[in-house]
Amino acid sequence: MKELERVINIQEKQIKSDFLTLSDFSSEEIFYLLEEAVYLKKLQKNRIAHPFLQGKVLGMIFEKSSTRTRVSFEVGMYQLGGQALYLHANDLQLGRGETIHDTAKVLSRYLDGIMIRTFEHEKVVELAEYASIPVINGLTDLHHPAQVLADLLTIYEHKGKLQGLKMCYVGDGNNNVCHSLLEGAAKVGMNISVASPATHQPDEKVVKTALNIANETGSIIHIGEDPFEMIQDADVVVTDVFVSMGQEKEAEEKRQKFTSYQVNESLCKYAKSDYIFLHCLPAHRGEEVSAEIIDGPHSVVFDEAENRLHAQKSILKNLL
Ligand code: CP
Ligand code: NVA
């Protein structure tokens, strides 16, 4: 029985860590997660088994649709020797009004981690507060940090560095991907400029957080309205859908407002000649990006999609 007590003590002492936003992590921790992603990618490419999470189970709660996030987290858990459960919110009592508090407490008794994709960011924060197991943000209305970790990995692979590069995000600034890019770029010392209409600029609190991080790392952040000005000499050009999940009612209005924010040849002429183009996908050709750009020689969107798998395996290995 003495032995058992020792094991219990060790378990109680472990501090759980969540993955809710990139600003929760130090620059060193983000670089470490990226290094681990490179390592895990190598193991997988060389078909070397890496069952670091044998016996572990990840629950994946979805309140919104997903192709990449669902498949990459699920496959990632299998490759790490564990298992993943797909839990659609409508099939859980959560969808019938059971509280986040009770859901967090109950799931913590069965699982080793929870990945959640939902609407309000506060829901993920609340889930993490009451869960005794790590909670991973698989996209909220405010942030998409797992996506941006994969984006940083993709940029690093194509450019050989992150620090000092210039990224330009064009489109809806008040957007989960844009918000996580602001924090992620600032953390790794990359410069970032955002071009979006005055009515759809990034969330003020997120910008403030990113500026504070940038103060420490030396990143330069510009927020503006003119895409031609913002994209000057960019190494990395990024966009995302004009209408995010949950914004269907504003779709028509947004599409009209964003017509001059399409990433196309005439805009990208002002980026560096060897710029790379990123898009988290799904994409709408002819809306936020022209087909010639997303299907053209500068586009690395499928490397980016693949890197969701490797970046998330790094998160899973280090949190679970
Ligand atoms: N980029 C991304 O999160 O894709 P899914 O919505 O398909 O998961
Ligand atoms: N901003 C998009 C990202 C999709 C992965 C959305 O929230 O729908």
Side-chain angles (χ1 to χ4, degrees), residues 8 21 47 78 102 121 150 154 211 225 259 271 289 299 315:
I8 290 169
T21 69
R47 298 185 179 277
Y78 291 140
D102 289 359
H121 188 76
T154 311
L211 285 170
E225 288 176 49
T259 45
V289 60
S299 176
I315 299 169

Coordinates of all heavy atoms in Angstrom, one line a residue, residues 8 21 47 78 102 121 150 154 211 225 259 271 289 299 315:
I8 N 0.1 7.9 -6.0 CA -1.0 8.9 -5.9 C -0.4 10.3 -5.6 O -0.8 11.3 -6.2 CB -2.0 8.5 -4.8 CG1 -2.8 7.3 -5.3 CG2 -3.0 9.6 -4.5 CD1 -3.6 6.6 -4.2
T21 N -4.5 29.7 -25.5 CA -4.0 30.7 -26.5 C -2.5 30.7 -26.5 O -1.9 30.1 -25.5 CB -4.4 32.1 -26.0 OG1 -3.7 32.5 -24.8 CG2 -5.9 32.3 -25.7
R47 N 8.9 6.3 -40.6 CA 8.1 5.1 -40.1 C 8.6 4.5 -38.8 O 8.7 3.3 -38.7 CB 8.0 4.0 -41.2 CG 7.2 4.6 -42.4 CD 7.0 3.5 -43.5 NE 6.3 4.1 -44.6 CZ 5.0 4.2 -44.7 NH1 4.2 3.9 -43.7 NH2 4.5 4.7 -45.8
Y78 N -3.7 8.3 -32.5 CA -3.4 6.9 -32.9 C -1.9 6.8 -33.1 O -1.3 5.8 -32.7 CB -4.1 6.6 -34.2 CG -5.6 6.4 -34.0 CD1 -6.5 6.9 -35.0 CD2 -6.1 5.9 -32.9 CE1 -7.9 6.8 -34.8 CE2 -7.5 5.8 -32.7 CZ -8.4 6.2 -33.7 OH -9.7 6.2 -33.5
D102 N -20.1 20.6 -14.8 CA -20.3 19.2 -14.6 C -19.7 18.3 -15.7 O -19.1 17.3 -15.4 CB -21.8 18.9 -14.5 CG -22.4 19.4 -13.2 OD1 -21.7 20.0 -12.4 OD2 -23.6 19.3 -13.0
H121 N -15.1 31.9 -26.5 CA -13.8 31.6 -26.0 C -14.0 31.3 -24.5 O -13.3 30.4 -23.9 CB -12.8 32.7 -26.2 CG -11.4 32.3 -25.8 ND1 -10.7 31.4 -26.6 CD2 -10.7 32.6 -24.7 CE1 -9.5 31.2 -26.0 NE2 -9.5 31.9 -24.9
A150 N 0.9 25.2 -36.3 CA 1.2 24.6 -37.5 C 1.7 25.6 -38.6 O 2.6 25.3 -39.4 CB 0.0 23.9 -38.0
T154 N 5.3 25.6 -40.6 CA 5.3 25.7 -42.1 C 6.2 26.8 -42.5 O 7.0 26.6 -43.5 CB 3.9 25.9 -42.6 OG1 3.0 24.9 -42.0 CG2 3.8 25.7 -44.1
L211 N 1.0 43.4 -28.5 CA 1.9 44.5 -28.4 C 2.8 44.4 -27.2 O 4.0 44.7 -27.3 CB 1.2 45.9 -28.4 CG 0.6 46.4 -29.7 CD1 -0.3 47.6 -29.5 CD2 1.7 46.7 -30.7
E225 N -5.7 49.6 -42.7 CA -6.8 49.3 -43.6 C -6.4 49.0 -45.0 O -7.1 48.4 -45.8 CB -7.8 50.5 -43.6 CG -8.6 50.6 -42.3 CD -9.5 51.8 -42.3 OE1 -10.2 52.0 -43.2 OE2 -9.4 52.6 -41.3
T259 N -14.7 43.1 -50.5 CA -14.3 42.9 -51.9 C -12.9 43.4 -52.2 O -12.1 42.8 -53.0 CB -15.3 43.5 -52.9 OG1 -15.5 44.8 -52.5 CG2 -16.5 42.7 -53.1
A271 N 4.4 42.1 -52.3 CA 5.1 41.3 -51.4 C 6.5 41.0 -51.9 O 6.8 41.3 -53.1 CB 4.3 40.0 -51.1
V289 N -9.4 34.8 -51.7 CA -8.2 34.5 -52.4 C -8.6 34.1 -53.8 O -9.6 33.4 -54.1 CB -7.3 33.4 -51.7 CG1 -8.1 32.1 -51.6 CG2 -6.0 33.2 -52.4
S299 N 2.0 29.2 -53.0 CA 1.1 28.6 -52.0 C 1.7 27.4 -51.4 O 2.2 26.5 -52.0 CB -0.2 28.2 -52.7 OG -1.1 27.6 -51.8
I315 N 1.9 19.1 -29.2 CA 1.0 19.7 -28.1 C 0.6 18.5 -27.2 O 0.7 18.5 -26.0 CB -0.2 20.4 -28.6 CG1 0.2 21.6 -29.5 CG2 -1.1 20.8 -27.5 CD1 -1.0 22.3 -30.3

